[in-house]
Each structure stands twice: as structure tokens, then as C-alpha cells.
Amino acid sequence: MSPNQGGKGTGKGAGGKARGPAAVRRLGLVVFGVAFLVLFLVVAIGEGVGDPSIPSGDVILVTHVPGDVGNISEADVEHAIGIAAAGEGQKKAPKPGEPKYEETKEAATKFLLEGIWIQGLADEWGIEVSDQEIAKELKKIKKESFKSEAEFKKFLKESHYSPEDINSRVKIQVLSAKLQEELKEKAPQPSKGEIESYYDAAKAEQFTQKSTRTIRTIVNKDRPKVEEAAASLQKDNTAKNWKKLAKKYSSDPNTKEKGGLQEGVQEGTIEEPLNAAVFSAPEGALEGPLKTKFGFTIFEVVTSTPETVQELKTVESQIQATLAQRLEQEYFTNYLSQFAIVWTSRTFCASGYVIERCADYESNGRPPTAPEACYEANPKGGLPEACPAPVNQLVPALPGTVTPLEPRGRPLAQRPIPGGGGEEAAAGLEGLPEGAVPPAEEAPPAEEAPPAEGE
């Protein structure tokens, strides 16, 4: 089988960051972007199959795919290794036994499988792509990513891509886009009740414009000076007099040069008791002196704007879009896990080519990011600072935090509750929302329990 057939031998590795020429990076982003993205969005629902025999001359077999797309030979893998190495900026592909060989081979193999899995899923869903569509997309890519045909050919040479490789990758990109569109159509839409619940929960914060005031103030820690300013304003309460008096008496550097003017002050954004006084005072009346943490304050409400609330009908489409995006993401996330399970069960690898995406892969039960030293009896240099848990922990939500706005709630930190009460117990309950009920303390032993009344 040709190394270029069925979308094989056409990758940069498993998403390795290109460090080659600018042309390599540009085409890499355009051609492979959707192909990588679809792996987080697309799944197939099916059943695994028994372990078939890998045909002679091949090292990997993927079932449930059209034709011989799922047959990967040793030559296919080596070709993909050369492309992956070039994409990672290596001067030449590593050879067996060299430090980078196994790492690059695994990355290249993963990328080969991704392309095959996408083609297999598209075939199951009856999605096809024509030669005309491939040619049109390639023309677009070349126009957007390369200044000339010569630059494109230079890219092919430096990246080790053949024209067949490029056509194969463009085919996978077009299939990926079509798969994504079909998945979007399958994603559930929010119900009227969900939209109403979201509106009720978000109304106070998102859809309410709080009351505002435009005010003038004069602030000074010396009460007699504030009273002098107030006496003058009682005789001449004009903007001109406010400007003169604020400059003379006010200690507020932000407003003293502006006649004490503060525009669009929102309720709850200034200190108490000034906030309550300002939002209960009529327009045009001189108020104070009022003692605050900054000193004594006199003020006047110049204009006021009442609180306004957007009605559901004016924001319904906005809420619908927000919830639809959330449901779509949840739908895609659920599909992702099933996609990996199904297609891994259909992928069989010969000895020396087994990776975690093969059905015959045997896991050691360790997280892939865990340092080897975490599992050694006497690691050289001692244990690492942090070793991951051997299993994923379920994190419950803080009581009372699951709402239409936060359907998953806020995670509850898992830690033991200190015994003995006092400050230690209080520290153990830190983070619980108001009204949450802490775990009950254990009852004292029977012999230590107080006697019942009348005994």
C-alpha cells in the first residue's frame, strides 16, 4: 500500500509546534486546524470487534473504514516520522535507537490514526468529499498561505510532503468540517423553561441596570470647614460656587478641581453611610454634613436615573445563544469520550507499534504525566515534589452553588474536618456558603453521655 493512501504519512506528529519556515506554520495551521479540532467534537457510537489478524506487510489495522484506508505499513509510519520531524524543526528524521525516535514515532502514529478515524466516521455517517471540493479547498489554502507557487513547492520540499499527502490532508479537513456541521445540527437546543430559569437567575446581575446619581460633594476631616462651605452654598447653590468652594475646602483629589462633581455613581459603589443618604435624597437639596471614613461630607444630588430591568423578550435570543453554546459543548464533550473508546477498540497494532490508541495496548495504570520516580522504591534524587493521584477524583459541588448560571456549581475542596472545634474547626469549614450545614460531630461514647433528666 502506498504511504500516501488513505490519509497516511501526512502529519506533523500529534500537534507538535512547527519551528520551521513561516510557510510550514501557515499551512500547518490552516490544513490541520479543523482536523485536530474535530477530535474534540466528533464521536461514533458502535461496538468493538474481536482481535483480527493484521495483514502481512502492515503493522497497524483499523477496521470499519472504507477500502484499505485502515492498513498502515511500516513504510507509512516511517514516512510520517519524517514529516513529524520536519514539522518539529529537526534537521533529519531520527533513526531507531536514537533518543527522539520512539517519541516521534508515537506522535506520527497518533496523527496517522486520527486521519483514518475521521475518514471511518465520515463513511459511517455517509459523508463524502469530491475531487472538486478538495481542489477548491487546496486552491483557497494556497492563496491564503503562500505568496507564489514556488513558495508552496518550497514548503513541500522542506516539510517532506508529497502532493498526494497534501490532497489527503485537505480531504480530511473537508470531511472534518462536514462532520462538525452535522454534529451542530444534532446538538440539543435549550427549552423555553431553561431560558426562563436562566433569566430569573441572571436578572439581578446581568439584565438590571442599577440606579445611578450624578452628585456634587465636598469632603474634609475638619467639620468647621465643611460647615463654612455649606453655609455659602445655602446662599448660592450654583455650579460656579460649588467649583470655587470644592477647590478651597475639599480634600478629595479626584473631584476638588471639578466642583465636586461625580457623574453616573452607581448604587452600592460608594462608602456607607453616604451611599444610603445619596440614594434616598431628593434632587437639588443640599445634604449634610455627614460623617464618613474620609471625613465630613456635604452633597447634592444633581440628577438621578432609576433602576431599569430588561424584559425577557428583549434578551431571550441572547440567553438562547448562551445556553445553546453550553449544550453544544456538553454534547460534543460526551461524544469525544465515546469516539475515543469506539475507535480505539477498532485499532490493532503489531508488536513495536502498540500505543495507547490501540485495542491491544495494556496500560500500567499510571497517569501519562506522572514522573517515573513516583513509582520507584528508591528514586534517584528522591521523590518528585508532586505525584498525581492514581485515579481521577470526583469533585462534588459546594452546596447551594448549582444554579442555571453555574450548572456544575463551584467545586468543593476535599479535606478532613478538624476535630475539637474552635479555630481549627472553623478553618476546616472555610469556603462553605452561608447556610450550609456542616457535618455533625460524632456523639460522645455512651459512658460519657450526660444523664437524662430525672435519672
Side-chain angles (χ1 to χ4, degrees):
M1 177 180 177
S2 167
N4 302 323
Q5 190 173 354
K8 304 192 290 292
T10 55
K12 285 172 58 181
K17 184 177 180 182
R19 295 189 289 273
V24 177
R25 292 194 298 271
R26 286 201 302 273
L27 188 66
L29 288 172
V30 176
V31 176
F32 303 131
V34 180
F36 275 127
L37 176 61
V38 79
L39 293 174
F40 294 90
L41 305 181
V42 183
V43 303
I45 298 178
E47 298 179 355
V49 296
D51 188 353
S53 298
I54 298 175
S56 177
D58 291 333
V59 294
I60 296 176
L61 174 65
V62 181
T63 64
H64 294 71
V65 295
D68 59 355
V69 167
N71 297 75
I72 301 178
S73 68
E74 184 177 359
D76 294 334
V77 176
E78 292 302 320
H79 181 66
I81 289 173
I83 293 175
E88 293 174 354
Q90 300 179 43
K91 293 183 179 181
K92 61 179 181 178
K95 300 295 182 182
E98 294 180 355
K100 290 282 292 181
Y101 180 76
E102 290 300 326
E103 177 185 338
T104 308
K105 182 175 78 169
E106 181 172 348
T109 303
K110 285 181 179 179
F111 194 73
L112 286 175
L113 292 177
E114 287 166 2
I116 294 171
W117 289 1
I118 288 171
Q119 292 179 84
L121 180 58
D123 183 65
E124 286 187 352
W125 286 13
I127 296 175
E128 299 179 347
V129 56
S130 66
D131 292 341
Q132 290 77 12
E133 289 177 292
I134 294 173
K136 181 179 179 180
E137 185 66 19
L138 179 56
K139 183 178 179 180
K140 177 183 176 184
I141 291 169
K142 290 168 70 173
K143 182 179 179 180
E144 293 176 349
S145 303
F146 301 95
K147 296 178 181 178
S148 64
E149 184 67 22
E151 186 179 69
F152 175 66
K153 290 181 178 179
K154 182 181 179 182
F155 158 75
L156 294 181
K157 182 178 179 181
E158 293 176 343
S159 62
H160 296 185
Y161 278 99
S162 68
E164 292 79 7
D165 293 331
I166 292 296
N167 286 333
S168 180
R169 295 318 306 170
V170 174
K171 176 183 178 180
I172 291 171
Q173 173 173 319
V174 177
L175 288 174
S176 298
K178 290 185 176 184
L179 286 166
Q180 290 180 60
E181 288 303 315
E182 187 154 330
L183 279 172
K184 285 183 179 180
E185 293 178 4
K186 293 182 178 181
Q189 293 297 312
S191 66
K192 184 177 180 181
E194 289 172 326
I195 292 173
E196 291 174 351
S197 295
Y198 185 97
Y199 173 76
D200 291 338
K203 181 165 60 176
E205 293 296 327
Q206 295 184 24
F207 307 122
T208 299
Q209 179 63 47
K210 294 185 177 181
S211 175
T212 62
R213 299 286 188 272
T214 294
I215 61 175
R216 293 185 184 276
T217 62
I218 293 176
V219 185
N220 199 299
K221 291 185 178 180
D222 190 341
R223 180 169 186 147
K225 290 183 179 180
V226 175
E227 290 175 340
E228 287 179 25
S232 177
L233 288 168
Q234 286 172 352
K235 298 176 182 178
D236 180 12
N237 192 10
T238 61
K240 182 178 180 180
N241 198 29
W242 269 97
K243 188 171 183 179
K244 180 180 71 174
L245 294 171
K247 188 173 184 179
K248 179 178 180 180
Y249 293 109
S250 185
S251 60
D252 182 2
N254 298 316
T255 62
K256 66 180 300 177
E257 299 298 332
K258 299 187 293 184
L261 189 66
Q262 298 182 55
E263 297 180 300
V265 177
Q266 193 174 84
E267 187 172 7
T269 60
I270 54 177
E271 72 279 2
E272 295 290 2
L274 182 60
N275 179 76
V278 164
F279 284 88
S280 61
E283 293 181 12
L286 182 65
E287 304 284 343
L290 183 69
K291 187 175 182 180
T292 70
K293 64 180 180 179
F294 298 108
F296 294 90
T297 303
I298 55 173
F299 70 91
E300 175 191 15
V301 176
V302 180
T303 60
S304 60
T305 303
E307 178 180 271
T308 57
V309 180
Q310 292 177 283
E311 296 182 4
L312 174 59
K313 63 182 180 181
T314 65
V315 296
E316 187 170 0
S317 60
Q318 176 186 339
I319 297 174
Q320 195 277 338
T322 298
L323 292 180
Q325 185 177 24
R326 177 190 294 171
L327 291 172
E328 185 177 288
Q329 185 58 51
E330 291 176 355
Y331 183 74
F332 289 162
T333 300
N334 292 335
Y335 264 62
L336 167 63
S337 59
Q338 188 66 24
F339 175 81
I341 293 170
V342 169
W343 284 97
T344 295
S345 74
R346 297 173 175 181
T347 302
F348 303 90
C349 307
S351 176
Y353 293 86
V354 177
I355 62 173
E356 60 184 4
R357 298 191 182 187
C358 303
D360 37 0
Y361 172 77
E362 294 183 3
S363 172
N364 58 16
R366 302 174 184 177
T369 57
E372 287 295 324
C374 290
Y375 302 94
E376 295 176 1
N378 297 296
K380 185 177 180 181
L383 282 172
E385 290 185 4
C387 289
V391 294
N392 292 327
Q393 292 182 326
L394 296 177
V395 181
L398 275 166
T401 65
V402 177
T403 69
L405 302 183
E406 290 190 81
R408 296 181 183 276
R410 287 184 286 116
L412 172 64
Q414 297 297 288
R415 55 183 180 272
I417 303 297
E423 294 182 0
E424 289 184 357
L429 297 176
E430 182 182 357
L432 285 174
E434 184 176 353
V437 181
E441 293 184 2
E442 293 184 5
E447 62 271 21
E448 296 180 9
E453 185 176 352
E455 289 185 359

